[in-house]
Amino acid sequence: MNSKKIGFIGLGLIGGSIAKAIRRYYPDYEIIAFDQNKETLALATRESVIHVACTSIDDNFKRCSYIFLCAPTGFNTTYLRKLVPYLHRELIITDVGSVKTPIHEEAVRLGLEEYFIGGHPMAGSEKSGLSNSRPLLIENAYFILTPSPGIPKEKVDAYTVFTESLHAIPLVLDYQTHDQVTGTISHLPHIIAASLVNFVRDTDTADELMKHLAAGGFKDITRIASSSPAMWQHICAQNKSNISRILGDYIRALSHAKELIDQGQERKIYDMFDHAGNYRDSMPDSSAGLIKKSFCIYCDIMDESGAIATIATILASNAINMKNVGIVHNREFEEGVLRIEFYDEASCSKAVSLLKKHRYIIYER
Protein backbone atom coordinates (compact mmCIF):
# COMPACT_ATOMS: atom_id res chain seq x y z
CA MET A 1 0.00 0.00 0.00
CA ASN A 2 1.14 3.54 -0.66
CA SER A 3 2.37 5.59 2.27
CA LYS A 4 -0.38 7.58 3.94
CA LYS A 5 -0.74 10.26 6.57
CA ILE A 6 -2.82 9.47 9.65
CA GLY A 7 -3.91 12.15 12.11
CA PHE A 8 -4.83 11.72 15.78
CA ILE A 9 -6.61 14.15 18.07
CA GLY A 10 -6.00 12.73 21.51
CA LEU A 11 -3.38 10.11 22.39
CA GLY A 12 -4.75 8.36 25.44
CA LEU A 13 -5.06 4.63 25.97
CA ILE A 14 -7.19 3.93 22.87
CA GLY A 15 -5.73 6.55 20.54
CA GLY A 16 -2.20 5.62 21.57
CA SER A 17 -2.87 1.91 21.09
CA ILE A 18 -4.30 2.44 17.59
CA ALA A 19 -1.35 4.68 16.68
CA LYS A 20 1.09 2.02 17.92
CA ALA A 21 -0.76 -0.67 15.95
CA ILE A 22 -0.47 1.43 12.80
CA ARG A 23 3.24 1.93 13.45
CA ARG A 24 3.64 -1.83 13.83
CA TYR A 25 1.76 -2.88 10.70
CA TYR A 26 2.37 0.20 8.53
CA PRO A 27 5.84 1.49 9.44
CA ASP A 28 5.93 3.76 6.36
CA TYR A 29 2.80 5.69 7.31
CA GLU A 30 3.25 9.20 8.66
CA ILE A 31 1.47 9.75 11.98
CA ILE A 32 0.73 13.22 13.32
CA ALA A 33 -1.07 14.03 16.56
CA PHE A 34 -2.51 16.80 18.68
CA ASP A 35 -3.07 16.40 22.40
CA GLN A 36 -3.72 19.04 25.02
CA ASN A 37 -1.20 17.35 27.28
CA LYS A 38 2.27 18.41 26.13
CA GLU A 39 3.91 15.62 28.14
CA THR A 40 1.87 13.09 26.19
CA LEU A 41 3.10 14.53 22.89
CA ALA A 42 6.67 14.52 24.18
CA LEU A 43 6.38 10.87 25.18
CA ALA A 44 4.83 9.93 21.84
CA THR A 45 7.68 11.67 20.00
CA ARG A 46 10.36 10.18 22.24
CA GLU A 47 8.98 6.66 21.72
CA SER A 48 8.60 7.24 17.95
CA VAL A 49 4.86 6.63 18.08
CA ILE A 50 4.29 9.79 16.02
CA HIS A 51 6.30 11.77 13.51
CA VAL A 52 4.84 15.23 14.12
CA ALA A 53 3.55 16.64 17.41
CA CYS A 54 1.00 19.42 16.84
CA THR A 55 0.38 22.15 19.40
CA SER A 56 -2.99 22.89 17.79
CA ILE A 57 -5.26 21.53 15.05
CA ASP A 58 -3.48 23.22 12.17
CA ASP A 59 -2.32 22.74 8.58
CA ASN A 60 -0.40 19.60 9.58
CA PHE A 61 -3.77 17.86 9.27
CA LYS A 62 -4.01 18.62 5.56
CA ARG A 63 -4.00 15.59 3.21
CA CYS A 64 -4.62 13.01 5.94
CA SER A 65 -6.18 9.74 4.81
CA TYR A 66 -7.70 9.16 8.25
CA ILE A 67 -8.21 11.43 11.22
CA PHE A 68 -9.01 9.70 14.53
CA LEU A 69 -10.89 11.65 17.18
CA CYS A 70 -9.70 10.04 20.42
CA ALA A 71 -10.51 12.71 23.01
CA PRO A 72 -13.23 12.17 25.67
CA THR A 73 -16.64 11.72 24.06
CA GLY A 74 -17.86 15.12 25.21
CA PHE A 75 -15.03 16.93 23.38
CA ASN A 76 -14.94 15.07 20.08
CA THR A 77 -17.91 16.98 18.65
CA THR A 78 -16.02 20.24 19.24
CA TYR A 79 -12.91 18.91 17.54
CA LEU A 80 -15.01 17.66 14.62
CA ARG A 81 -15.95 21.26 13.78
CA LYS A 82 -12.29 22.23 13.69
CA LEU A 83 -11.55 19.71 10.94
CA VAL A 84 -13.78 21.39 8.34
CA PRO A 85 -10.87 23.38 6.76
CA TYR A 86 -8.93 20.17 6.11
CA LEU A 87 -11.54 18.18 4.21
CA HIS A 88 -10.71 16.51 0.90
CA ARG A 89 -12.48 13.87 -1.16
CA GLU A 90 -10.57 10.80 0.14
CA LEU A 91 -10.56 11.79 3.83
CA ILE A 92 -12.22 9.53 6.40
CA ILE A 93 -12.90 11.03 9.83
CA THR A 94 -13.62 8.62 12.67
CA ASP A 95 -13.76 8.52 16.44
CA VAL A 96 -13.36 5.91 19.20
CA GLY A 97 -16.09 6.93 21.63
CA SER A 98 -18.50 4.47 23.26
CA VAL A 99 -21.48 6.75 22.49
CA LYS A 100 -22.22 7.52 18.85
CA THR A 101 -25.46 9.51 18.52
CA PRO A 102 -24.19 13.01 19.50
CA ILE A 103 -21.21 12.97 17.15
CA HIS A 104 -23.27 11.57 14.26
CA GLU A 105 -25.83 14.32 14.77
CA GLU A 106 -23.01 16.90 14.74
CA ALA A 107 -21.60 15.37 11.53
CA VAL A 108 -25.03 15.81 9.90
CA ARG A 109 -25.32 19.39 11.17
CA LEU A 110 -21.89 20.24 9.72
CA GLY A 111 -22.56 18.49 6.42
CA LEU A 112 -19.80 15.93 7.03
CA GLU A 113 -21.75 12.73 6.37
CA GLU A 114 -19.67 11.83 3.32
CA TYR A 115 -16.51 11.89 5.48
CA PHE A 116 -17.57 10.44 8.84
CA ILE A 117 -17.57 6.83 10.04
CA GLY A 118 -18.04 6.37 13.76
CA GLY A 119 -15.76 3.84 15.39
CA HIS A 120 -15.68 2.04 18.72
CA PRO A 121 -12.93 -0.50 19.51
CA MET A 122 -14.37 -2.72 22.22
CA ALA A 123 -11.19 -2.88 24.26
CA GLY A 124 -9.73 -1.02 27.19
CA SER A 125 -8.10 -1.20 30.57
CA GLU A 126 -8.60 0.08 34.08
CA LYS A 127 -5.47 2.15 33.40
CA SER A 128 -5.47 5.17 31.13
CA GLY A 129 -3.05 7.33 29.19
CA LEU A 130 -0.47 6.84 26.44
CA SER A 131 1.97 5.22 28.87
CA ASN A 132 -0.43 2.29 29.26
CA SER A 133 -1.24 1.94 25.55
CA ARG A 134 0.03 -1.01 23.55
CA PRO A 135 -0.23 -2.09 19.90
CA LEU A 136 -2.01 -5.36 20.71
CA LEU A 137 -4.81 -3.77 22.75
CA ILE A 138 -7.27 -3.94 19.85
CA GLU A 139 -6.09 -7.30 18.52
CA ASN A 140 -9.00 -9.77 18.29
CA ALA A 141 -11.30 -7.11 19.76
CA TYR A 142 -14.57 -6.18 18.07
CA PHE A 143 -14.20 -2.80 16.34
CA ILE A 144 -17.68 -1.42 15.72
CA LEU A 145 -18.06 0.87 12.70
CA THR A 146 -21.08 3.16 12.44
CA PRO A 147 -21.05 4.75 8.97
CA SER A 148 -22.95 7.94 8.30
CA PRO A 149 -25.89 7.30 5.94
CA GLY A 150 -24.38 9.58 3.30
CA ILE A 151 -20.86 8.15 3.17
CA PRO A 152 -19.79 6.29 0.00
CA LYS A 153 -19.70 2.49 0.31
CA GLU A 154 -16.10 2.38 -0.92
CA LYS A 155 -15.02 4.41 2.12
CA VAL A 156 -16.81 2.02 4.46
CA ASP A 157 -15.17 -0.92 2.71
CA ALA A 158 -11.74 0.73 2.91
CA TYR A 159 -12.06 1.45 6.63
CA THR A 160 -13.32 -2.09 7.28
CA VAL A 161 -10.25 -3.53 5.55
CA PHE A 162 -8.00 -1.11 7.45
CA THR A 163 -9.32 -2.14 10.87
CA GLU A 164 -8.97 -5.79 9.87
CA SER A 165 -5.34 -5.17 8.92
CA LEU A 166 -4.75 -3.93 12.49
CA HIS A 167 -5.94 -7.40 13.61
CA ALA A 168 -9.23 -6.11 15.02
CA ILE A 169 -12.64 -7.61 14.16
CA PRO A 170 -14.79 -4.99 12.37
CA LEU A 171 -18.57 -5.05 12.84
CA VAL A 172 -20.80 -2.54 11.02
CA LEU A 173 -23.87 -1.19 12.88
CA ASP A 174 -26.05 1.87 12.62
CA TYR A 175 -25.28 4.33 15.40
CA GLN A 176 -28.68 4.10 17.13
CA THR A 177 -28.35 0.32 17.46
CA HIS A 178 -24.80 0.76 18.75
CA ASP A 179 -25.90 3.08 21.55
CA GLN A 180 -28.73 0.77 22.55
CA VAL A 181 -26.45 -2.30 22.62
CA THR A 182 -23.57 -0.66 24.48
CA GLY A 183 -26.04 0.96 26.86
CA THR A 184 -27.20 -2.51 27.87
CA ILE A 185 -23.99 -4.56 27.93
CA SER A 186 -21.51 -1.89 29.01
CA HIS A 187 -23.07 1.25 30.45
CA LEU A 188 -25.68 -0.55 32.57
CA PRO A 189 -23.17 -2.97 34.17
CA HIS A 190 -20.90 -0.08 35.15
CA ILE A 191 -23.81 1.71 36.80
CA ILE A 192 -24.88 -1.49 38.56
CA ALA A 193 -21.33 -2.12 39.81
CA ALA A 194 -20.95 1.43 41.14
CA SER A 195 -24.41 1.34 42.74
CA LEU A 196 -23.75 -2.05 44.35
CA VAL A 197 -20.43 -0.94 45.84
CA ASN A 198 -22.03 2.25 47.16
CA PHE A 199 -24.93 0.21 48.57
CA VAL A 200 -22.52 -1.99 50.51
CA ARG A 201 -20.63 1.07 51.73
CA ASP A 202 -23.83 2.80 52.86
CA THR A 203 -25.32 -0.26 54.59
CA ASP A 204 -22.12 -1.67 56.10
CA THR A 205 -21.83 -2.30 59.81
CA ALA A 206 -20.04 0.19 62.06
CA ASP A 207 -16.92 -1.99 62.08
CA GLU A 208 -17.08 -2.43 58.23
CA LEU A 209 -17.72 -6.15 58.40
CA MET A 210 -19.09 -6.26 54.83
CA LYS A 211 -15.99 -4.53 53.49
CA HIS A 212 -13.65 -6.99 55.17
CA LEU A 213 -15.64 -10.09 54.25
CA ALA A 214 -16.28 -9.06 50.62
CA ALA A 215 -13.96 -10.93 48.30
CA GLY A 216 -13.97 -13.41 45.45
CA GLY A 217 -17.23 -13.14 43.52
CA PHE A 218 -18.21 -9.74 44.92
CA LYS A 219 -14.92 -8.13 43.94
CA ASP A 220 -15.04 -9.74 40.49
CA ILE A 221 -18.52 -8.50 39.61
CA THR A 222 -17.78 -5.01 40.94
CA ARG A 223 -14.26 -4.66 39.51
CA ILE A 224 -15.45 -2.22 36.85
CA ALA A 225 -16.63 0.17 39.57
CA SER A 226 -12.97 1.28 39.70
CA SER A 227 -13.20 2.77 36.19
CA SER A 228 -12.60 6.47 35.55
CA PRO A 229 -15.45 8.51 37.10
CA ALA A 230 -14.85 11.36 34.65
CA MET A 231 -15.20 9.04 31.67
CA TRP A 232 -18.44 7.56 32.97
CA GLN A 233 -19.82 10.97 33.77
CA HIS A 234 -19.34 11.83 30.07
CA ILE A 235 -20.86 8.54 28.88
CA CYS A 236 -23.97 8.86 31.05
CA ALA A 237 -24.50 12.41 29.81
CA GLN A 238 -23.99 11.46 26.15
CA ASN A 239 -26.19 8.34 26.17
CA LYS A 240 -28.75 9.65 28.67
CA SER A 241 -31.99 8.62 26.96
CA ASN A 242 -30.88 5.05 26.22
CA ILE A 243 -29.41 4.53 29.69
CA SER A 244 -32.53 5.92 31.38
CA ARG A 245 -34.81 3.60 29.41
CA ILE A 246 -32.55 0.57 29.99
CA LEU A 247 -32.31 1.32 33.71
CA GLY A 248 -36.10 1.45 33.88
CA ASP A 249 -36.36 -1.97 32.22
CA TYR A 250 -33.73 -3.40 34.54
CA ILE A 251 -35.42 -2.01 37.64
CA ARG A 252 -38.60 -3.78 36.53
CA ALA A 253 -36.60 -7.01 36.13
CA LEU A 254 -35.26 -6.61 39.68
CA SER A 255 -38.78 -5.94 40.94
CA HIS A 256 -39.94 -9.15 39.27
CA ALA A 257 -37.14 -11.08 41.02
CA LYS A 258 -38.26 -9.55 44.33
CA GLU A 259 -41.85 -10.65 43.65
CA LEU A 260 -40.72 -14.25 43.02
CA ILE A 261 -38.86 -14.26 46.33
CA ASP A 262 -41.71 -12.60 48.23
CA GLN A 263 -44.19 -15.15 46.85
CA GLY A 264 -41.92 -18.13 47.46
CA GLN A 265 -41.96 -19.12 43.78
CA GLU A 266 -39.14 -21.63 44.15
CA ARG A 267 -39.43 -23.19 40.70
CA LYS A 268 -39.38 -19.81 38.97
CA ILE A 269 -36.44 -18.71 41.12
CA TYR A 270 -34.59 -21.86 40.06
CA ASP A 271 -35.42 -21.13 36.41
CA MET A 272 -34.14 -17.55 36.77
CA PHE A 273 -30.70 -18.76 37.85
CA ASP A 274 -30.71 -21.73 35.47
CA HIS A 275 -31.57 -19.63 32.40
CA ALA A 276 -28.98 -17.02 33.39
CA GLY A 277 -26.26 -19.65 33.81
CA ASN A 278 -27.04 -21.32 30.49
CA TYR A 279 -27.11 -18.03 28.60
CA ARG A 280 -23.88 -16.80 30.17
CA ASP A 281 -22.10 -20.09 29.44
CA SER A 282 -23.15 -19.78 25.78
CA MET A 283 -21.36 -16.45 25.38
CA PRO A 284 -18.19 -16.67 23.24
CA ASP A 285 -14.92 -16.28 25.10
CA SER A 286 -12.60 -15.90 22.13
CA SER A 287 -12.60 -12.15 21.64
CA ALA A 288 -12.31 -9.00 23.69
CA GLY A 289 -15.53 -7.31 24.75
CA LEU A 290 -16.75 -3.99 26.04
CA ILE A 291 -15.87 -4.84 29.62
CA LYS A 292 -12.25 -5.71 30.02
CA LYS A 293 -11.73 -9.38 30.83
CA SER A 294 -9.59 -10.36 33.80
CA PHE A 295 -7.16 -13.25 33.42
CA CYS A 296 -6.87 -15.04 36.73
CA ILE A 297 -6.45 -18.48 38.26
CA TYR A 298 -6.98 -19.90 41.71
CA CYS A 299 -4.43 -22.21 43.27
CA ASP A 300 -4.37 -24.41 46.36
CA ILE A 301 -1.26 -23.88 48.46
CA MET A 302 -0.11 -25.00 51.88
CA ASP A 303 -0.17 -22.51 54.74
CA GLU A 304 3.58 -22.41 55.19
CA SER A 305 6.37 -19.88 54.97
CA GLY A 306 7.57 -19.14 51.44
CA ALA A 307 4.63 -20.81 49.64
CA ILE A 308 3.71 -17.68 47.66
CA ALA A 309 7.35 -16.84 47.02
CA THR A 310 7.89 -20.30 45.51
CA ILE A 311 5.08 -19.79 43.01
CA ALA A 312 6.29 -16.28 42.20
CA THR A 313 9.78 -17.65 41.54
CA ILE A 314 8.47 -20.41 39.25
CA LEU A 315 6.51 -17.89 37.19
CA ALA A 316 9.23 -15.22 37.10
CA SER A 317 11.90 -17.72 36.03
CA ASN A 318 9.71 -18.49 33.02
CA ALA A 319 9.19 -14.81 32.14
CA ILE A 320 5.56 -14.73 33.32
CA ASN A 321 4.56 -11.46 34.95
CA MET A 322 1.88 -11.42 37.63
CA LYS A 323 -0.48 -8.45 37.73
CA ASN A 324 -1.83 -9.15 41.21
CA VAL A 325 -1.69 -11.90 43.80
CA GLY A 326 -3.48 -12.43 47.09
CA ILE A 327 -4.96 -14.89 49.55
CA VAL A 328 -8.71 -15.46 49.20
CA HIS A 329 -10.18 -15.44 52.70
CA ASN A 330 -13.84 -15.64 51.70
CA ARG A 331 -14.15 -18.76 49.53
CA GLU A 332 -17.91 -19.15 49.63
CA PHE A 333 -18.06 -18.81 45.85
CA GLU A 334 -14.46 -19.55 44.91
CA GLU A 335 -12.14 -22.52 44.84
CA GLY A 336 -8.48 -22.19 45.71
CA VAL A 337 -6.59 -20.32 48.38
CA LEU A 338 -4.40 -18.11 46.19
CA ARG A 339 -5.75 -15.82 43.46
CA ILE A 340 -3.24 -14.84 40.75
CA GLU A 341 -4.12 -12.32 38.06
CA PHE A 342 -2.16 -11.87 34.84
CA TYR A 343 -1.91 -9.14 32.21
CA ASP A 344 -3.00 -11.27 29.25
CA GLU A 345 -4.50 -14.60 28.27
CA ALA A 346 -1.23 -16.05 26.97
CA SER A 347 0.51 -15.52 30.32
CA CYS A 348 -2.46 -17.01 32.15
CA SER A 349 -2.52 -20.14 29.98
CA LYS A 350 1.24 -20.59 30.25
CA ALA A 351 1.06 -20.25 34.05
CA VAL A 352 -1.65 -22.93 34.28
CA SER A 353 0.45 -25.45 32.36
CA LEU A 354 3.59 -24.61 34.29
CA LEU A 355 2.07 -24.79 37.76
CA LYS A 356 0.27 -28.04 36.97
CA LYS A 357 3.64 -29.53 36.01
CA HIS A 358 4.81 -28.57 39.49
CA ARG A 359 1.82 -30.50 40.90
CA TYR A 360 -0.20 -27.49 41.99
CA ILE A 361 -4.00 -27.83 41.90
CA ILE A 362 -5.30 -25.05 39.65
CA TYR A 363 -8.87 -23.76 39.26
CA GLU A 364 -9.52 -21.70 36.14
CA ARG A 365 -12.36 -19.20 35.76
Side-chain angles (χ1 to χ4, degrees):
M1 295 180 68
N2 296 328
S3 180
K4 295 182 178 181
K5 183 197 284 190
I6 313 291
F8 282 86
I9 298 175
L11 275 180
L13 176 71
I14 301 298
S17 295
I18 295 174
K20 288 180 179 180
I22 294 172
R23 288 285 283 150
R24 166 174 286 210
Y25 298 114
Y26 297 99
D28 293 334
Y29 281 18
E30 180 185 4
I31 300 178
I32 67 168
F34 161 75
D35 194 290
Q36 289 186 338
N37 189 322
K38 301 300 185 291
E39 293 180 1
T40 295
L41 290 176
L43 177 62
T45 303
R46 187 164 61 249
E47 294 186 349
S48 299
V49 178
I50 63 175
H51 299 87
V52 178
C54 306
T55 56
S56 64
I57 299 174
D58 55 24
D59 286 352
N60 283 297
F61 284 87
K62 285 183 175 179
R63 295 182 298 279
C64 283
S65 298
Y66 293 94
I67 297 179
F68 287 84
L69 296 167
C70 304
T73 55
F75 298 115
N76 280 336
T77 52
T78 300
Y79 288 129
L80 185 63
R81 291 193 291 271
K82 295 184 178 182
L83 296 178
V84 172
Y86 309 111
L87 301 176
H88 60 88
R89 189 167 60 86
E90 291 81 17
L91 174 64
I92 294 175
I93 302 173
T94 186
D95 75 321
V96 298
S98 66
V99 182
K100 303 263 72 87
T101 298
I103 196 163
H104 270 278
E105 290 177 346
E106 183 66 5
V108 171
R109 194 186 71 80
L110 294 171
L112 300 180
E113 286 190 274
E114 63 180 292
Y115 305 98
F116 187 74
I117 302 175
H120 179 199
M122 294 169 66
S125 169
E126 67 274 15
K127 297 181 179 179
S128 60
L130 178 67
S131 60
N132 293 300
S133 64
R134 58 190 190 278
L136 300 182
L137 183 72
I138 63 172
E139 183 169 317
N140 291 323
Y142 286 116
F143 201 124
I144 299 178
L145 310 182
T146 59
S148 294
I151 197 164
K153 182 179 182 297
E154 54 267 26
K155 284 190 174 182
V156 178
D157 293 342
Y159 191 33
T160 302
V161 171
F162 186 55
T163 54
E164 276 185 327
S165 72
L166 301 179
H167 293 205
I169 305 170
L171 177 65
V172 177
L173 296 176
D174 66 83
Y175 65 87
Q176 294 98 335
T177 300
H178 169 276
D179 286 357
Q180 177 183 343
V181 169
T182 56
T184 304
I185 65 173
S186 176
H187 306 167
L188 176 65
H190 278 83
I191 294 169
I192 292 171
S195 300
L196 180 56
V197 171
N198 288 334
F199 179 76
V200 169
R201 180 200 63 196
D202 295 340
T203 60
D204 205 351
T205 59
D207 56 354
E208 295 189 322
L209 190 59
M210 292 185 193
K211 179 179 180 179
H212 292 298
L213 290 179
F218 181 84
K219 294 193 75 174
D220 279 347
I221 66 173
T222 59
R223 174 176 49 86
I224 55 177
S226 298
S227 300
S228 165
M231 178 180 72
W232 283 99
Q233 176 192 20
H234 276 283
I235 288 172
C236 287
Q238 295 276 308
N239 202 22
K240 180 173 63 174
S241 60
N242 275 310
I243 292 174
S244 177
R245 177 183 51 77
I246 293 164
L247 271 173
D249 292 342
Y250 182 69
I251 289 168
R252 282 187 286 276
L254 284 178
S255 296
H256 178 64
K258 180 179 182 299
E259 289 174 4
L260 296 181
I261 294 170
D262 289 343
Q263 297 167 7
Q265 300 274 357
E266 294 187 14
R267 181 64 206 183
K268 291 183 178 179
I269 292 170
Y270 173 90
D271 289 342
M272 177 179 71
F273 287 106
D274 185 47
H275 295 161
N278 290 335
Y279 185 68
R280 185 188 184 280
D281 291 343
S282 72
M283 292 178 177
D285 198 37
S286 59
S287 62
L290 278 169
I291 298 175
K292 185 66 176 175
K293 181 180 178 181
S294 62
F295 305 102
C296 61
I297 60 174
Y298 293 80
C299 176
D300 279 339
I301 60 172
M302 297 292 291
D303 184 9
E304 59 185 17
S305 177
I308 296 178
T310 300
I311 289 179
T313 300
I314 292 172
L315 297 177
S317 62
N318 286 271
I320 301 174
N321 293 323
M322 296 186 297
K323 182 177 183 180
N324 204 353
V325 61
I327 297 292
V328 180
H329 295 291
N330 177 352
R331 291 194 290 278
E332 184 179 2
F333 302 107
E334 305 293 352
E335 296 176 290
V337 176
L338 187 70
R339 181 184 188 275
I340 310 172
E341 186 176 0
F342 302 91
Y343 286 95
D344 52 57
E345 188 172 11
S347 297
C348 188
S349 298
K350 186 177 178 182
V352 170
S353 300
L354 186 62
L355 292 176
K356 283 183 176 179
K357 286 182 180 178
H358 284 79
R359 300 182 181 276
Y360 287 97
I361 298 175
I362 303 297
Y363 306 96
E364 300 177 65
R365 289 180 59 83

